[in-house]
Amino acid sequence: MSIETMQELLIDELKDLYSAEKQIVRVLPKLAKAASTPELQETILNHLEETKGQVARLEQIGELLGKKMTGKTCVGMKGVLEEGSEVLEDTEKGLVRDAALISASQRVEHYEMAGYGSAREFAKILGLGDVASLLDATLAEEKNADKKLSIVSKQVNAAAKRAS
C-alpha cells in the first residue's frame, strides 16, 4: 500500500503503534518474572496494566476513525523486544540483569514516545483533536514510565556496582 495522504500516514502509524503495544503486552510478564528487585517487578507490572489500557485507547481511536487497528506488524518494536530478550539469555539473574532490563525497557519507551509524538502531531494537523488528546494521554504515560525506570535504575545500578 502506498501512503499518499496525512490521513493514511496517521492510520499507518496508529496500526504500527497498536502492533507494538500488543507485542509489549505479551513480553512484559516475562520481563517482570526475570527481574530480581521488587521495585523493578512492580514498575514493569504497573506498566503492563497501563499498556493494556493503551491498547484499548488505540482501539477507541480506531472506532473514532472508522478503522481497524489490526493488519500491520511493527517490525521495529519486534527488533527492540528481541534485543531486550537477549538480556535474559546473556545475563545471570540478579542486579546486573535488572540494570540491563531497565536499559532495554527504556529503549522500548523511547521508541513508543517517538511514535506517539508523531501520531499526535499528525492528528492535530488533521484537526482530529479528540484523537490527538487520546494520543497525548498515552504519550504522557510513556514519559512517566520512562521516568519511573530512571528512578529505579539509579538504585539498581548503584547496587549492581557494589555487588560486582
Side-chain angles (χ1 to χ4, degrees):
M1 173 182 109
S2 177
I3 297 170
E4 297 179 6
T5 68
M6 288 301 291
Q7 181 82 17
E8 291 170 344
L9 182 60
L10 172 62
I11 299 301
D12 187 69
E13 186 72 33
L14 292 170
K15 287 182 176 190
D16 197 65
L17 287 165
Y18 185 75
S19 169
E21 296 292 11
K22 296 286 273 187
Q23 291 176 53
I24 293 165
V25 166
R26 287 191 297 273
V27 170
L28 284 178
K30 182 175 157 186
L31 297 183
K33 188 174 182 178
S36 64
T37 54
E39 296 84 5
L40 181 55
Q41 288 176 337
E42 182 182 339
T43 299
I44 292 170
L45 290 174
N46 286 345
H47 194 57
L48 171 61
E49 292 311 308
E50 208 168 51
T51 302
K52 290 176 183 177
Q54 293 166 355
V55 168
R57 197 175 290 136
L58 285 165
E59 289 169 348
Q60 181 184 357
I61 290 169
E63 288 174 18
L64 288 170
L65 298 174
K67 301 285 183 183
K68 293 261 186 225
M69 293 292 106
T70 56
K72 182 170 182 160
T73 299
C74 181
V75 178
M77 184 56 72
K78 188 175 181 181
V80 171
L81 291 172
E82 283 176 12
E83 189 176 282
S85 292
E86 289 175 6
V87 165
L88 302 181
E89 298 165 19
D90 297 345
T91 57
E92 294 295 319
K93 186 165 180 130
L95 293 168
V96 172
R97 176 186 278 179
D98 284 1
L101 285 171
I102 292 167
S103 176
S105 296
Q106 286 190 292
R107 283 187 186 92
V108 169
E109 295 308 323
H110 286 247
Y111 188 92
E112 290 179 293
M113 286 187 283
Y116 280 106
S118 294
R120 179 195 58 196
E121 293 308 309
F122 298 159
K124 281 183 181 178
I125 202 162
L126 290 167
L128 301 169
D130 48 353
V131 171
S133 292
L134 290 167
L135 293 169
D136 200 42
T138 299
L139 181 58
E141 290 172 352
E142 301 297 5
K143 287 178 180 179
N144 192 46
D146 181 57
K147 190 181 294 185
K148 287 178 184 174
L149 287 166
S150 290
I151 292 166
V152 173
S153 77
K154 285 181 177 40
Q155 300 162 347
V156 168
N157 294 347
K161 182 178 182 261
R162 285 191 302 272
S164 56

